[in-house]
Amino acid sequence: MRVALTGGLVADGTGTDPVPGTVLIDGDRITAVLPPGPMPSGAEVIDATGNIVAPGFVDLHSHADFSLRTSPAAESQLAQGVTTLVAGNCGWSPFPITDLETLRAGTAFLAPLHDWSWTDLAGFGATLESAVNLALQVGHCTLRIAVMGNARRAPSPAELRQMQDLLRAAADQGAVGFSTGLIYAPGAYASPEEVAALVATAAECDLLYSTHIRNEGSGLLAALDEAISAARAGGARLEISHLKAVGKANHGLVSAALERLEQADDLDIGWDAYPYTATSTTLTTRLPTWALADGALLDRLADPTERKRIAEALRSDNLLSPDSVVIASLPPGPYEDSRGLSLTEIARRDGVDAAEIVLRILENHQAAVSVVNHAMSEDDVITVLEHPRTAIASDGWIMDATGPGHPHPRNFGTFPRVLGHYSRDLGLMSLSEAIRRMTSLPASRLGLTDRGVIRPGAIADLVVLDPRAIADKSTYDDPWQLSVGVQHVLVAGQPALSDGRPTGSFAGRVIA
């Protein structure tokens, strides 16, 4: 199939100013970028007049490996111009599997609808058919569960070797990275030495090391030092996931964090961010990590002595901020009607304090509760977004246009929000620079040379967008709204979105 995108301004993904031109595609590759002129013969024409033609956006931080199989049309992503999702982040991946029930419990907050019919990356990848591409990382939490379950202890030498062997096997099957989520059990139980050993194995396999660091609050700088040390010792490429400072007392700390990262100039290091002042995570991250050990949280909550101990730990935690924590999603149970309400509002309704309501919600909903936490500063968001080495990423996993729950708006609006609000409206960066942060920059973090740019020979993953109309519509109060302004999306040369409507094409593939 020969396609010509004509009449638009071509932003090639490198950050240079857009120029008039025609992008010619044969099959799944770009064959030429031509100056304006007569239409190439025999080509199907897509009229991009008045619009920008750009590389498809590469979302460097997604959890789509828990949703794309059952929502392969990826409507929320196509409406943003996303053509490639990088998954397996924050220490969680749906493989390798040796202890399925523990892995299912650990990832329940992502509400996967998997049939879990595989055991490794190759088996998982073989089940995928989707409208967008997926690049897969292997998660540390999942490796630990496969070898040690939810044990709160150091691995034996033999267990560490098992994790390293599973990591190598995933690399052999096409993994692009290794990730940690050091606030999540069981990853939180790992020592810096355990993490460093696995990072060295990742480097040996030429994998990117992506990390949700151990502390994003008062311990932010120390947590960055741990990540930098592990990458330096092992020789790994390092990606700091969703760089931010959480908690009012820590606002402003991102400036020192960026300085710390810039100083590590001997490393291949990058970071990403989303353009919102709220995080989205599990309610169990509010608990002390010992409460989750061995997967026995619900048993502890049923024990009056242990329950009291957990409640006291919550009451002494200055980061709980019940006014700011809003229920996003949870399985069926008595607090189903609490989606979209803060912990303070639910506690007031029940006549108890915030610590008690956290425990009630967890014990009545299998501890599989997702929350939105309004804990960041807009000034910090701007400081991070302004930095030229910040890649734009969503940290999302919702693929559908409609559904249950009260998810974070980043699932629907990350990329248009940067292009519209921060670039066009606030002038934080030029349009071409914003596009670079969504295309060639994240692609380079993965070592991809044929995506994220418009040039002859590159894969024809492309987006046509209206720079005047591009905007996010999803809000915290009304999240299930698709972005607007993306007119066309091509994946491997096949139209996936045409005149703003999905075509039903599933040309995406697993990228190794």
Side-chain angles (χ1 to χ4, degrees):
M1 180 178 179
R2 199 175 203 213
V3 178
L5 283 74
T6 66
L9 294 175
V10 179
D12 66 6
T14 67
T16 58
D17 291 339
V19 295
T22 294
V23 179
L24 188 63
I25 301 163
D26 277 296
D28 66 351
R29 299 272 174 175
I30 298 168
T31 54
V33 182
L34 306 172
M39 295 299 101
S41 62
E44 179 181 326
V45 174
I46 295 177
D47 185 1
T49 301
N51 294 322
I52 296 290
V53 180
F57 302 148
V58 179
D59 188 346
L60 198 53
H61 191 104
S62 168
H63 296 279
D65 45 351
F66 289 94
S67 55
L68 190 59
R69 285 185 68 257
T70 49
S71 301
E75 292 175 78
S76 67
Q77 307 306 299
L78 293 177
Q80 295 184 66
V82 173
T83 56
T84 297
L85 297 158
V86 184
N89 282 292
C90 295
W92 295 108
S93 57
F95 54 82
I97 300 173
T98 63
D99 181 349
L100 177 55
E101 291 312 306
T102 301
L103 182 58
R104 285 169 66 108
T107 58
F109 71 98
L110 292 165
L113 299 176
H114 289 329
D115 58 17
W116 302 99
S117 58
W118 57 85
T119 59
D120 57 10
L121 185 154
F124 174 76
T127 70
L128 282 166
E129 183 183 26
S130 72
V132 296
N133 304 306
L134 189 66
L136 294 165
Q137 301 181 101
V138 60
H140 173 227
C141 289
T142 302
L143 289 176
R144 241 184 174 257
I145 286 171
V147 174
M148 303 172 59
N150 269 317
R152 185 175 176 242
R153 60 173 175 81
S156 68
E159 288 170 331
L160 180 58
R161 286 194 297 273
Q162 281 182 270
M163 284 191 275
Q164 291 172 313
D165 288 344
L166 287 170
L167 178 53
R168 290 187 185 99
D172 288 343
Q173 293 177 358
V176 299
F178 164 67
S179 79
T180 55
L182 298 176
I183 70 164
Y184 298 106
Y189 306 144
S191 68
E193 292 75 20
E194 175 188 330
V195 173
L198 289 164
V199 170
T201 301
E204 166 198 318
C205 300
D206 194 28
L207 301 181
L208 180 68
Y209 171 42
S210 304
T211 179
H212 180 146
I213 55 177
R214 201 177 292 271
N215 190 299
E216 295 176 323
S218 60
L220 173 61
L221 298 183
L224 287 175
D225 286 342
E226 178 187 351
I228 290 167
S229 294
R232 181 174 286 132
R237 292 176 289 130
L238 174 62
E239 182 72 18
I240 303 297
S241 296
H242 40 59
L243 181 64
K244 58 184 176 289
V246 174
K248 189 173 182 180
N250 306 307
H251 293 169
L253 199 54
V254 295
S255 295
L258 288 167
E259 183 178 349
R260 189 69 53 95
L261 293 168
E262 289 172 337
Q263 290 170 348
D265 55 7
D266 59 313
L267 294 179
D268 183 349
I269 185 170
W271 54 90
D272 52 71
Y274 47 79
Y276 296 93
T277 56
T279 73
S280 184
T281 186
T282 70
L283 187 56
T284 55
T285 60
R286 305 297 92 189
L287 304 181
T289 55
W290 54 259
L292 308 173
D294 303 313
L297 172 61
L298 294 178
D299 292 337
R300 291 187 176 92
L301 292 178
D303 180 314
T305 301
E306 286 291 279
R307 196 179 195 282
K308 180 180 179 182
R309 184 182 171 211
I310 296 170
E312 289 172 349
L314 276 171
R315 292 183 181 111
S316 66
D317 182 3
N318 293 328
L319 290 180
L320 178 56
S321 303
D323 290 344
S324 302
V325 179
V326 174
I327 300 300
S329 65
L330 69 180
Y335 289 94
E336 282 183 86
D337 63 349
S338 298
R339 297 184 184 98
L341 299 180
S342 71
L343 294 178
T344 296
E345 291 170 317
I346 305 166
R348 185 183 299 122
R349 186 182 66 187
D350 276 24
V352 297
D353 72 354
E356 174 62 22
I357 207 64
V358 168
L359 303 189
R360 289 187 182 186
I361 294 171
L362 288 172
E363 66 190 352
N364 281 286
H365 295 271
Q366 299 84 57
V369 182
S370 293
V371 297
V372 171
N373 184 16
H374 296 269
M376 297 155 62
S377 153
E378 176 67 9
D379 287 345
D380 281 1
V381 170
I382 288 174
T383 296
V384 176
L385 289 179
E386 281 183 317
H387 199 287
R389 289 167 63 183
T390 300
I392 308 304
S394 74
D395 197 9
W397 66 88
I398 305 295
M399 301 288 108
D400 294 328
T402 60
H406 212 83
H408 196 297
R410 69 192 185 194
N411 289 283
F412 309 96
T414 290
F415 296 89
R417 182 169 177 79
V418 171
L419 293 166
H421 177 64
Y422 286 102
S423 173
R424 180 191 61 225
D425 300 341
L426 297 186
L428 204 63
M429 65 192 83
S430 69
L431 176 67
S432 56
E433 172 63 8
I435 289 170
R436 182 187 72 85
R437 309 277 205 86
M438 304 171 181
T439 56
S440 67
L441 178 58
S444 71
R445 301 300 300 138
L446 296 171
L448 300 176
T449 58
D450 60 355
R451 295 177 195 272
V453 291
I454 294 178
R455 60 165 176 76
I459 297 290
D461 292 345
L462 298 165
V463 57
V464 178
L465 62 92
D466 183 342
R468 300 168 299 273
I470 190 83
D472 61 306
K473 294 296 185 180
S474 177
T475 66
Y476 295 109
D477 292 331
D478 188 9
W480 290 95
Q481 298 190 74
L482 295 180
S483 292
V484 297
V486 172
Q487 307 296 327
H488 303 276
V489 176
L490 282 76
V491 176
Q494 300 296 313
L497 193 78
S498 181
D499 293 322
R501 294 184 296 274
T503 65
S505 171
F506 285 0
R509 67 178 185 87
V510 175
I511 297 174

